[in-house]
PDB file of all heavy atoms in Angstrom:
ATOM      1  N   VAL A 239       2.061  -7.148   9.912  1.00  0.00           N
ATOM      2  CA  VAL A 239       3.067  -7.016  10.969  1.00  0.00           C
ATOM      3  C   VAL A 239       4.340  -6.469  10.371  1.00  0.00           C
ATOM      4  O   VAL A 239       4.658  -6.709   9.208  1.00  0.00           O
ATOM      5  CB  VAL A 239       3.367  -8.340  11.712  1.00  0.00           C
ATOM      6  CG1 VAL A 239       2.144  -8.834  12.444  1.00  0.00           C
ATOM      7  CG2 VAL A 239       3.912  -9.374  10.759  1.00  0.00           C
ATOM      8  N   GLN A 240       5.072  -5.781  11.155  1.00  0.00           N
ATOM      9  CA  GLN A 240       6.289  -5.094  10.685  1.00  0.00           C
ATOM     10  C   GLN A 240       7.520  -5.956  10.955  1.00  0.00           C
ATOM     11  O   GLN A 240       8.492  -5.892  10.244  1.00  0.00           O
ATOM     12  CB  GLN A 240       6.432  -3.770  11.430  1.00  0.00           C
ATOM     13  CG  GLN A 240       7.399  -2.793  10.807  1.00  0.00           C
ATOM     14  CD  GLN A 240       6.816  -2.084   9.634  1.00  0.00           C
ATOM     15  OE1 GLN A 240       5.998  -2.657   8.863  1.00  0.00           O
ATOM     16  NE2 GLN A 240       7.179  -0.870   9.397  1.00  0.00           N
ATOM     17  N   CYS A 241       7.396  -6.791  11.965  1.00  0.00           N
ATOM     18  CA  CYS A 241       8.550  -7.557  12.419  1.00  0.00           C
ATOM     19  C   CYS A 241       8.661  -8.884  11.669  1.00  0.00           C
ATOM     20  O   CYS A 241       7.757  -9.231  10.899  1.00  0.00           O
ATOM     21  CB  CYS A 241       8.385  -7.883  13.892  1.00  0.00           C
ATOM     22  SG  CYS A 241       6.865  -8.797  14.203  1.00  0.00           S
ATOM     23  N   GLY A 248      10.887  -7.638  18.461  1.00  0.00           N
ATOM     24  CA  GLY A 248       9.820  -6.781  18.002  1.00  0.00           C
ATOM     25  C   GLY A 248      10.232  -5.943  16.803  1.00  0.00           C
ATOM     26  O   GLY A 248      11.393  -5.940  16.415  1.00  0.00           O
ATOM     27  N   CYS A 249       9.251  -5.208  16.277  1.00  0.00           N
ATOM     28  CA  CYS A 249       9.554  -4.404  15.081  1.00  0.00           C
ATOM     29  C   CYS A 249      10.402  -3.202  15.418  1.00  0.00           C
ATOM     30  O   CYS A 249      10.954  -2.545  14.558  1.00  0.00           O
ATOM     31  CB  CYS A 249       8.227  -3.932  14.476  1.00  0.00           C
ATOM     32  SG  CYS A 249       7.135  -3.040  15.623  1.00  0.00           S
ATOM     33  N   LYS A 255       7.864  -8.415  21.484  1.00  0.00           N
ATOM     34  CA  LYS A 255       6.991  -7.918  20.455  1.00  0.00           C
ATOM     35  C   LYS A 255       6.335  -6.602  20.874  1.00  0.00           C
ATOM     36  O   LYS A 255       6.062  -6.401  22.061  1.00  0.00           O
ATOM     37  CB  LYS A 255       5.903  -8.967  20.155  1.00  0.00           C
ATOM     38  CG  LYS A 255       6.440 -10.283  19.610  1.00  0.00           C
ATOM     39  CD  LYS A 255       7.013 -10.104  18.213  1.00  0.00           C
ATOM     40  CE  LYS A 255       7.480 -11.430  17.632  1.00  0.00           C
ATOM     41  NZ  LYS A 255       8.175 -11.252  16.360  1.00  0.00           N
ATOM     42  N   CYS A 256       6.047  -5.720  19.928  1.00  0.00           N
ATOM     43  CA  CYS A 256       5.475  -4.436  20.277  1.00  0.00           C
ATOM     44  C   CYS A 256       4.024  -4.596  20.720  1.00  0.00           C
ATOM     45  O   CYS A 256       3.410  -5.632  20.503  1.00  0.00           O
ATOM     46  CB  CYS A 256       5.538  -3.478  19.097  1.00  0.00           C
ATOM     47  SG  CYS A 256       4.344  -3.762  17.823  1.00  0.00           S
ATOM     48  N   HIS A 259       1.473  -5.744  18.111  1.00  0.00           N
ATOM     49  CA  HIS A 259       1.785  -6.929  17.276  1.00  0.00           C
ATOM     50  C   HIS A 259       0.585  -7.861  17.081  1.00  0.00           C
ATOM     51  O   HIS A 259       0.276  -8.240  15.958  1.00  0.00           O
ATOM     52  CB  HIS A 259       2.955  -7.682  17.872  1.00  0.00           C
ATOM     53  CG  HIS A 259       3.300  -8.914  17.107  1.00  0.00           C
ATOM     54  ND1 HIS A 259       4.154  -8.923  16.052  1.00  0.00           N
ATOM     55  CD2 HIS A 259       2.846 -10.205  17.242  1.00  0.00           C
ATOM     56  CE1 HIS A 259       4.243 -10.169  15.547  1.00  0.00           C
ATOM     57  NE2 HIS A 259       3.456 -10.950  16.265  1.00  0.00           N
ATOM     58  N   TRP A 262      -2.044  -6.574  14.519  1.00  0.00           N
ATOM     59  CA  TRP A 262      -1.677  -6.702  13.086  1.00  0.00           C
ATOM     60  C   TRP A 262      -1.720  -8.159  12.665  1.00  0.00           C
ATOM     61  O   TRP A 262      -2.082  -8.454  11.507  1.00  0.00           O
ATOM     62  CB  TRP A 262      -0.319  -6.086  12.806  1.00  0.00           C
ATOM     63  CG  TRP A 262      -0.199  -4.677  13.320  1.00  0.00           C
ATOM     64  CD1 TRP A 262       0.753  -4.203  14.130  1.00  0.00           C
ATOM     65  CD2 TRP A 262      -1.113  -3.588  13.100  1.00  0.00           C
ATOM     66  NE1 TRP A 262       0.506  -2.878  14.424  1.00  0.00           N
ATOM     67  CE2 TRP A 262      -0.603  -2.492  13.787  1.00  0.00           C
ATOM     68  CE3 TRP A 262      -2.285  -3.451  12.351  1.00  0.00           C
ATOM     69  CZ2 TRP A 262      -1.245  -1.249  13.778  1.00  0.00           C
ATOM     70  CZ3 TRP A 262      -2.919  -2.212  12.334  1.00  0.00           C
ATOM     71  CH2 TRP A 262      -2.399  -1.135  13.038  1.00  0.00           C
TER      72      TRP A 262
HETATM   73  S1  FES E  12       4.570  -5.745  14.549  1.00  0.00           S
HETATM   74 FE1  FES E  12       5.499  -7.465  15.408  1.00  0.00          FE
HETATM   75  S2  FES E  12       6.584  -6.513  16.968  1.00  0.00           S
HETATM   76 FE2  FES E  12       5.636  -4.784  16.186  1.00  0.00          FE
END
Side-chain angles (χ1 to χ4, degrees):
Chain A
V239 295
Q240 196 79 326
C241 58
C249 55
K255 296 292 183 187
C256 77
H259 177 88
W262 308 126

